[in-house]
Amino acid sequence: MAAGKMELLQTGPVPPFVEPQLDEHFSVHKLHKAADRDAFLKEVAPKIRGIITFGAIPIDAALMQKLPQLEIVSNMGVGYDSVDARWAGEHGVVVTNTPGVLDEEVADTTIGLLISTVRELPQAERFLRAGKWLEKPYPLTAGTLRSRTIGIVGMGRIGKAIARRIEAMGLPVVYHSRRPAPGVAYRHYADLKAMARDVDVLILIVPGGSETKNMIDRDVLEALGPNGVLINMARGSVVDEPALIDALRNKKILSAGLDVYADEPRVPKELIAMENVVLLPHVGSASVETRRAMGQLVVDNLKSWAAGNGPITPVPETPWPPVEV
Ligand code: 8YV
């Protein structure tokens, strides 16, 4: 371990291509590998200047408070709801995420999940593999994308990339967000329930966290209606999961395609038992190419910081250069 390298705390496994770069430039302490995490943390805490995180364990005030030299938290992912960025901002700690490099990949996955869910492609594939096609054709699907209007919840970079694809498929797009997105011509709904009433598909691509927690509740699902399809590419916390299970079970909506869950990687057994859902294991951005680009941005943020050049992609709660209040 060379002296003078910036000391980092790593809180979960990194993709293999990130590891050599981290080891070359930093002295990395792997919390997730420690047998006794409390003892490990106590020992390394005084020298930790940066955290590298993937969302699996919360980077909250309680953890950050234990690290007196902490300067930067670099999150691998565009969503950073597992980091208390507000606390970080108030205590002079910079948080970075990985925007931009995963937009198209996540948008591609969203369209795949949408079509899979509406046209039951995974179910049809299971049918073939089980040898059932020899007996009869796969039943006609109740769902079709034709004649549907798509309501996107969240119109950030990924929301726009999804909307572009849906437009190309010949389907009308509307959206809900707190404020109308500048330069976006699709119809904006300030009221989520009103949009749910008017559309046949809801695609969720909003940040997680307290502001969006359970925003898809029983009322929104009822407004979506018995022909409705829910696609969640955002965070499990955005959906009231028991209400969703109830809506699917009682045919209050037609089907759901989910990439994210409230308590990942644990998926409710009720969902696993259902046929009118398509369940992905949080793979929105999970290709080698995109994860490489995300990993590179994590490393580059930390390298830039260590070189005294500030962060490359700070989150809005921790602007750079810092704004004096
Ligand atoms: C990652 C994501 O799976 O970017 C995000 O917000 O959800 C995903 O791309 C996650 O961050 C773990 O690295």
Side-chain angles (χ1 to χ4, degrees), residues 110-180:
T110 306
I111 299 302
L113 183 55
L114 171 64
I115 299 174
S116 295
T117 304
V118 173
R119 295 300 326 288
E120 305 174 15
L121 301 186
Q123 295 91 325
E125 214 247 9
R126 288 200 291 274
F127 179 91
L128 179 151
R129 284 181 190 270
K132 294 183 186 166
W133 193 17
L134 296 167
E135 295 155 26
K136 56 180 185 200
Y138 186 77
L140 303 182
T141 62
T144 173
L145 275 176
R146 298 303 107 201
S147 75
R148 280 181 186 269
T149 296
I150 313 291
I152 301 181
V153 180
M155 196 41 80
R157 288 189 194 82
I158 306 176
K160 287 178 192 143
I162 294 168
R164 275 204 319 275
R165 285 159 172 76
I166 289 171
E167 263 194 292
M169 291 159 75
L171 303 172
V173 175
V174 298
Y175 74 104
H176 163 77
S177 55
R178 272 176 307 173
R179 285 174 295 280

Side-chain angles (χ1 to χ4, degrees), residues 191-214:
D191 181 353
L192 172 60
K193 224 191 313 167
M195 182 172 87
R197 261 195 301 272
D198 287 358
V199 302
D200 314 287
V201 176
L202 282 180
I203 296 180
L204 312 181
I205 192 72
V206 278
S210 54
E211 283 183 30
T212 57
K213 191 166 167 55
N214 289 343

Side-chain angles (χ1 to χ4, degrees), residues 54-55 75-80 98 102 106 234-235 282 285 291 294:
F54 304 85
N75 180 64
M76 176 146 160
V78 67
Y80 54 96
T98 60
L102 45 71
V106 176
R235 285 289 181 265
H282 199 149
S285 68
R291 286 292 166 84
M294 292 163 68

